[in-house]
Amino acid sequence: MSNVNIQPLADRVLVEAAAAETTTASGIIIPDTATEKPSQGKIVAVGPGKKDELLTVKVGDTVLYGKYAGTEITFEGKTYLIMREADIFAII
């Protein structure tokens, strides 16, 4: 797990997206132009939560989120998503 010096505020979390699939289950290679954005990733940092609302996710959780959820940021050469906890659908 990476050690990131970004601290999200309120109910936001920092997610490192999983790598996009390059082949199908049957072995067909997917070209770069046809790959979809990954919709799962690993929580790298969490905010303190809102007043009277604690966060249910924690660092290290693997989560599912919406395809267009969050804002993409680049920090020290790595790409992350910062999103609200409400944008997360499930913990895997």
Side-chain angles (χ1 to χ4, degrees), residues 48-54:
K50 289 184 176 180
K51 184 179 179 184
D52 300 331
E53 287 183 40
L54 297 176

Side-chain angles (χ1 to χ4, degrees), residues 10-64:
D11 64 339
R12 290 182 176 84
V13 296
L14 189 68
V15 177
E16 185 174 1
E21 295 292 323
T22 56
T23 58
T24 63
S26 61
I28 297 173
I29 298 174
I30 303 170
D32 290 338
T33 56
T35 56
E36 292 187 15
K37 284 179 66 174
S39 59
Q40 79 178 40
K42 190 167 287 267
I43 302 286
V44 178
V46 296
K50 289 184 176 180
K51 184 179 179 184
D52 300 331
E53 287 183 40
L54 297 176
L55 294 176
T56 56
V57 295
K58 61 187 180 305
V59 174
D61 285 347
T62 302
V63 294
L64 294 175

Side-chain angles (χ1 to χ4, degrees), residues 68-88:
Y68 301 107
T71 302
E72 199 171 275
I73 62 169
T74 303
F75 181 73
E76 294 181 354
K78 282 191 151 185
T79 303
Y80 300 97
L81 288 168
I82 191 160
M83 65 182 73
R84 293 191 181 276
E85 185 186 35
D87 293 336
I88 296 173

